[in-house]
């Protein structure tokens, strides 16, 4: 694959995705083989929004490749507090690092920032927009558990503000999948995302539901998401839908024994802890897969001269 930056999953072809996932599997099988591959390489971390998994797994990935990170730290302790623009911040930090990872509350921020820098910039979430590196680890987890072709997936929760959902839905159009979206009406997939999905894949099988019941027995994978409280303009609107979609042992009585349950985490109350020790639960493995997948991505983007061709 050959990309200067990773901004959205829309830019990834099936071949690109397979390149990353295959490389991640290789690394997962023998991490020691790449332990010094990117010695002396520095990754710049710019997180303007809270993060645990994404930030720490990028940091782990860079260190496991022999490199290190430079971290802007919290907004409170950086010059952003003094009113510095994002364009200025990224132009400064690109002078310190070989690649940048950016998370920002504004949709489109990663695209804009990428126009100011020459080093690879990876979008780690832009508002309710996209989260393509999460998508790659999601796809890796789906491939391991259910395979990526002839897949029936349910995607449930906050489909309006959930950037992991927007990215995943796009990437899945590269494969033979049936996508069922389950949400309260107020949190349906934005119409422009539905329109886009049909634009890229005329035959895309996309169905929307307000209840899980009718489709649960047919699912290979159920991808559950958190209601994105911080993106609601009005807290009362959040309270109307909070806690509406919860998975517990009773819910799963109708599920196939082979169902795989995923969640990008953090969860609030969407999945009962009692599910964690069942064979359905793949969400902790999914979080762990962030390391080999991000190692693969960094390796591809940082390889000599930025050349990321197969
Ligand atoms: C997600 C995010 O930040 O969009 N978290 C993550 O990266 N694993 C999901 C969420 O916050 O709900």
């Amino acid at each position: 694959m050959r990309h200067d930056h990773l901004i959205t999953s829309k830019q990834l072809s099936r071949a690109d995705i397979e390149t990353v996932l295959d490389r991640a599997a290789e690394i997962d099988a023998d991490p020691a083989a790449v332990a010094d591959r990117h010695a002396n390489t520095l990754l710049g971390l710019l997180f303007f929004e809270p993060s645990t998994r994404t930030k720490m797994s990028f940091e782990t990935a860079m260190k496991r490749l022999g490199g290190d990170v430079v971290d802007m730290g919290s907004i409170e302790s950086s010059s952003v507090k003094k009113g510095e623009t994002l364009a200025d911040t990224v132009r400064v930090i690109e002078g310190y690092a070989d690649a940048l990872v950016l998370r920002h509350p504004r949709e489109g921020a990663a695209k804009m920032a990428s126009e100011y820098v020459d080093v690879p910039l990876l979008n780690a979430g832009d508002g309710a927009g996209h989260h393509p590196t999460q998508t790659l680890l999601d796809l890796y987890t789906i491939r391991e558990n259910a395979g990526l072709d002839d897949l029936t997936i349910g995607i449930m929760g906050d489909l309006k503000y959930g950037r992991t959902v927007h990215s995943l839905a796009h990437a899945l159009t590269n494969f033979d999948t049936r996508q069922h979206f389950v949400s309260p009406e107020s949190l349906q997939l934005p119409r422009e995302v539905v329109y886009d999905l049909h634009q890229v894949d005329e035959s895309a099988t996309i169905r929307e539901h307000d209840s899980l019941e009718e489709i649960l027995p047919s699912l290979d994978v159920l991808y559950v998401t958190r209601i994105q409280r911080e993106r609601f303009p009005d807290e009362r609107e959040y309270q109307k839908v909070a806690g509406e979609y919860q998975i517990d042992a009773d819910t799963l009585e109708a599920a196939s024994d082979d169902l795989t349950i995923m969640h990008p985490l953090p969860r609030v109350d969407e999945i009962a802890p009692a599910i964690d020790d069942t064979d359905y639960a793949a969400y902790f493995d999914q979080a762990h897969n962030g390391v080999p997948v991000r190692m693969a991505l960094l390796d591809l983007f940082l390889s000599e001269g930025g050349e990321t061709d197969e």
Side-chain angles (χ1 to χ4, degrees):
M1 78 169 181
R2 188 196 294 257
H3 298 291
D4 296 332
H5 308 288
L6 180 57
I7 306 301
T8 116
S9 65
K10 292 186 203 180
Q11 73 191 78
L12 297 174
S13 66
R14 181 178 174 130
D16 289 337
I17 293 168
E18 285 172 346
T19 301
V20 178
L21 304 198
D22 291 348
R23 184 76 181 120
E26 252 171 54
I27 291 174
D28 213 0
D30 186 10
V34 291
D36 299 316
R37 198 168 148 76
H38 293 284
N40 302 318
T41 300
L42 284 178
L43 180 65
L45 301 176
L46 296 90
F47 281 73
F48 291 77
E49 263 192 352
S51 174
T52 305
R53 273 151 293 274
T54 305
K55 186 169 163 180
M56 290 188 72
S57 66
F58 261 116
E59 181 164 355
T60 307
M62 191 68 257
K63 290 182 173 172
R64 293 230 183 269
L65 289 166
D68 209 337
V69 298
V70 280
D71 184 350
M72 182 188 82
S74 71
I75 299 176
E76 294 305 307
S77 64
S78 73
S79 278
V80 176
K81 200 69 190 157
K82 303 180 189 165
E84 184 169 60
T85 64
L86 178 60
D88 281 0
T89 304
V90 292
R91 271 182 293 193
V92 170
I93 300 182
E94 88 158 327
Y96 307 151
D98 302 289
L100 302 177
V101 177
L102 173 69
R103 169 170 288 188
H104 199 278
R106 205 169 60 237
E107 207 169 320
K111 172 92 189 82
M112 186 280 281
S114 72
E115 283 158 13
Y116 288 90
V117 296
D118 291 324
V119 300
L121 183 142
L122 310 181
N123 180 11
D126 60 325
H130 283 266
H131 194 348
T133 72
Q134 175 73 37
T135 294
L136 287 161
L137 75 90
D138 292 342
L139 294 173
Y140 186 83
T141 310
I142 295 172
R143 190 170 82 165
E144 275 197 330
N145 284 276
L148 274 166
D149 274 311
D150 193 19
L151 173 78
T152 304
I153 184 169
I155 303 183
M156 183 170 95
D158 187 344
L159 312 179
K160 180 178 181 182
Y161 297 116
R163 55 195 174 197
T164 68
V165 171
H166 305 157
S167 279
L168 180 61
H170 264 283
L172 286 171
T173 59
N174 286 294
F175 301 89
D176 173 20
T177 53
R178 291 163 293 282
Q179 303 194 54
H180 293 280
F181 295 98
V182 183
S183 71
E185 203 184 332
S186 62
L187 296 181
Q188 278 179 350
L189 215 49
R191 291 306 91 186
E192 61 272 21
V193 174
V194 177
Y195 175 79
D196 258 20
L197 292 175
H198 284 296
Q199 287 291 108
V200 289
D201 179 7
E202 267 178 37
S203 62
T205 312
I206 291 161
R207 303 267 180 279
E208 297 179 272
H209 314 261
D210 60 12
S211 140
L212 180 63
E213 215 178 326
E214 56 185 304
I215 50 134
L216 180 61
S218 69
L219 299 182
D220 301 309
V221 172
L222 175 61
Y223 187 97
V224 184
T225 64
R226 175 180 69 89
I227 310 276
Q228 308 279 299
R229 183 179 196 160
E230 67 277 25
R231 309 222 189 275
F232 279 66
D234 182 346
E235 171 71 16
R236 279 168 309 186
E237 292 302 311
Y238 168 74
Q239 292 302 344
K240 281 190 201 158
V241 287
E244 253 198 62
Y245 288 77
Q246 291 178 349
I247 302 292
D248 58 21
D250 287 344
T251 326
L252 293 179
E253 266 171 30
S256 142
D257 287 346
D258 296 331
L259 176 72
T260 297
I261 300 183
M262 295 173 55
H263 191 305
L265 302 178
R267 73 173 145 182
V268 181
D269 53 7
E270 305 82 39
I271 303 177
I275 307 297
D276 299 356
D277 293 325
T278 68
D279 288 343
Y280 298 119
Y283 29 93
F284 291 111
D285 284 344
Q286 181 185 353
H288 296 155
N289 290 336
V291 174
V293 169
R294 292 186 168 114
M295 285 172 80
L297 259 180
L298 289 173
D299 185 37
L300 291 164
F301 273 94
L302 290 165
S303 291
E304 235 176 307
E307 183 58 71
T308 49
D309 255 341
E310 287 135 282

